[in-house]
């Protein structure tokens, strides 16, 4: 494994990915707005993409970049379904605050 | 740590670019979760995506960088901003954790511990994979097909495309079906029921 990718030590890139993941987890934990939680999930997915690309380059194996492509497609599908759910919930509850979503049925 | 930085700055200018893009990424990501106004969060997220695309570009994954701008900074962010405008979000207080300092400290300790575990796991736990395999040289790709010899591809986009359609054909088809089902599900979820339309005639939603 080559520990330096284009002059950048991979420990730096992995550290950046870890910071990004942690920020995403923090956002999911402390925010109450459902759309912001959704954006934090996008941050988490992006940090995972960064790790995939880094190891694809460090191990000189192309599969990592292909998997990133699939992750992006799944993120797009998640965005479509998740935001439709947000709209459906908002129509019933008139709110996007997750603290008020305590029952599975209405 | 500092020596590593100095050593790499001398040998390669791309490290400076990485420092710049990494700083932008972290600052805008923090801005996403600490802004009170959701629209400002969405704009910060766009900057995060662009900075990440820059990092992919520095690392040589040009196809992924392009897709990052097209899919994330383009399509997904348009969807998020559209929903934000549709729901007419107001600025909100950050969280109930702000009123409880002990909870906030515990949460921070959890998140930082989580980060260090993740970091150590990533840097030490990955096995060395040195065998010459498919796409070992990242600018070239060869895939053996019985009877016809090998398929060769060159360039980043060509290599990723060849890998997608030769190694990962079944996952690719499954992703297509997943996207179709997701679009149908989104339409069904966001659609009004027939009885509801009469009641909420002047309501936008």
């Amino acid at each position: 494994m080559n520990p330096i990718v284009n002059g950048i030590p991979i420990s730096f890139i992995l550290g950046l990915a870890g910071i990004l993941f942690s920020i995403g987890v923090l956002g999911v934990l402390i925010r109450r707005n459902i759309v912001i939680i959704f954006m934090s999930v996008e941050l988490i997915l992006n940090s995972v993409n960064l790790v995939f690309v880094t190891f694809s380059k460090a191990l000189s194996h192309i599969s990592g970049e292909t998997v990133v492509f699939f992750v992006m497609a799944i993120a797009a599908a998640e965005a479509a379904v998740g935001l439709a759910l947000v709209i459906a919930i908002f129509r019933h509850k008139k709110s996007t605050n997750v603290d008020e979503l305590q029952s599975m049925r209405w | 740590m500092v020596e590593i930085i100095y050593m790499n700055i001398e040998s390669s200018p791309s490290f400076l670019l990485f420092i710049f893009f990494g700083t932008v990424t972290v600052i805008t990501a923090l801005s996403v979760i600490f802004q009170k106004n959701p629209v400002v969060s969405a704009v910060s997220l766009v900057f995060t995506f662009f900075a990440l695309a820059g990092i992919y570009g520095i690392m040589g994954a040009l196809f992924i960088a392009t897709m990052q701008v097209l899919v994330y900074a383009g399509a997904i962010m348009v969807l998020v901003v559209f929903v934000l405008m549709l729901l007419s979000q107001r600025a909100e207080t950050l969280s109930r954790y702000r009123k409880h300092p002990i909870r906030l400290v515990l949460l921070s300790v959890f998140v930082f511990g989580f980060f260090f575990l993740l970091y150590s796991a990533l840097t030490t736990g990955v096995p060395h994979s040195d065998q010459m395999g498919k796409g070992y040289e990242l600018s070239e790709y060869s895939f053996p097909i019985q009877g016809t010899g090998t398929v060769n591809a060159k360039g980043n986009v060509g290599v990723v495309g060849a890998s997608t359609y030769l190694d990962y054909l079944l996952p690719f088809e499954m992703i297509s079906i997943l996207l179709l089902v997701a679009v149908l599900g989104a339409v069904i979820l966001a659609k009004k029921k027939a009885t509801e339309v009469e009641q909420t005639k002047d309501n936008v939603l």
Side-chain angles (χ1 to χ4, degrees):
Chain A
M1 187 165 77
N2 185 12
I4 292 174
V5 176
N6 268 8
I8 311 160
I10 65 166
S11 58
F12 280 61
I13 313 176
L14 296 179
L16 177 67
I19 291 170
L20 209 58
F21 194 100
S22 307
I23 291 173
V25 171
L26 194 66
V28 171
L29 285 177
I30 70 171
R31 289 310 293 254
R32 286 185 294 181
N33 188 329
I34 197 165
V35 185
I36 306 262
I37 291 176
F38 180 80
M39 290 187 211
S40 302
V41 174
E42 296 288 336
L43 279 180
I44 292 173
L45 286 172
N46 266 280
S47 79
V48 172
N49 280 352
L50 189 56
V51 173
F52 270 125
V53 172
T54 309
F55 280 121
S56 171
K57 291 296 176 188
L59 300 172
S60 297
H61 203 287
I62 198 64
S63 298
E65 289 182 41
T66 314
V67 172
V68 168
F69 186 60
F70 293 146
V71 172
M72 281 182 185
I74 289 176
E78 178 235 334
V81 175
L83 291 171
L85 270 174
V86 169
I87 289 179
I89 289 170
F90 183 80
R91 198 180 293 146
H92 283 276
K93 292 273 183 182
K94 300 285 176 255
S95 163
T96 52
N97 191 331
V98 287
D99 286 349
E100 292 170 22
L101 306 176
Q102 288 170 347
S103 65
M104 293 288 283
R105 56 184 298 241
W106 45 69
Chain B
M1 182 95 169
V2 180
E3 299 97 59
I4 298 176
I5 293 177
Y6 275 126
M7 195 180 72
N8 283 290
I9 284 176
E10 280 173 16
S11 62
S12 68
S14 65
F15 189 70
L16 274 178
L17 276 175
F18 171 75
I19 294 286
F20 169 72
F21 280 124
T23 315
V24 171
T25 306
V26 171
I27 290 174
T28 52
L30 283 173
S31 166
V32 168
I33 68 167
F34 285 119
Q35 287 290 342
K36 285 183 179 172
N37 190 344
V39 179
V40 182
S41 290
V43 174
S44 305
L45 196 58
V46 173
F47 281 103
T48 312
F49 288 157
F50 271 109
L52 276 171
I55 291 175
Y56 296 149
I58 295 167
M59 281 156 56
L62 300 176
F63 179 66
I64 300 300
T66 315
M67 280 295 138
Q68 174 86 7
V69 173
L70 283 181
V71 176
Y72 274 115
I76 290 181
M77 287 319 294
V78 164
L79 210 56
V80 169
V81 173
F82 180 75
V83 168
L84 277 177
M85 295 299 170
L86 198 63
L87 304 185
S88 63
Q89 300 283 303
R90 264 177 242 98
E92 52 152 30
T93 53
L94 252 187
S95 148
R96 62 179 185 279
Y97 289 108
R98 268 210 165 164
K99 294 170 195 156
H100 301 90
I102 300 170
R103 267 199 223 171
L104 188 63
V105 167
L106 285 179
L107 205 62
S108 309
V109 168
F110 167 72
V111 169
F112 279 108
F114 184 78
F115 162 66
F116 281 114
L117 278 180
L118 195 70
Y119 181 75
S120 56
L122 283 176
T123 46
T124 60
V126 173
H128 290 243
S129 146
D130 289 338
Q131 70 268 33
M132 297 285 287
K134 294 162 189 163
Y136 187 82
E137 291 294 325
L138 277 190
S139 57
E140 289 183 20
Y141 181 89
S142 66
F143 185 83
I145 291 180
Q146 212 171 7
T148 57
T150 59
V151 174
N152 288 309
K154 289 195 175 179
N156 190 252
V157 179
V159 167
V160 175
S163 170
T164 305
Y165 289 110
L166 293 171
D167 278 338
Y168 292 91
L169 186 60
L170 182 64
F172 180 78
E173 298 292 343
M174 285 161 70
I175 287 284
S176 320
I177 296 172
L178 177 87
L179 276 173
L180 179 67
V181 172
V183 168
L184 288 179
V187 169
I188 291 169
L189 276 175
K191 192 174 60 120
K192 286 180 202 168
K193 292 197 183 85
T195 54
E196 238 175 306
V197 177
E198 299 300 318
Q199 293 166 358
T200 59
K201 204 167 259 177
D202 355 52
N203 200 340
V204 182
L205 284 175

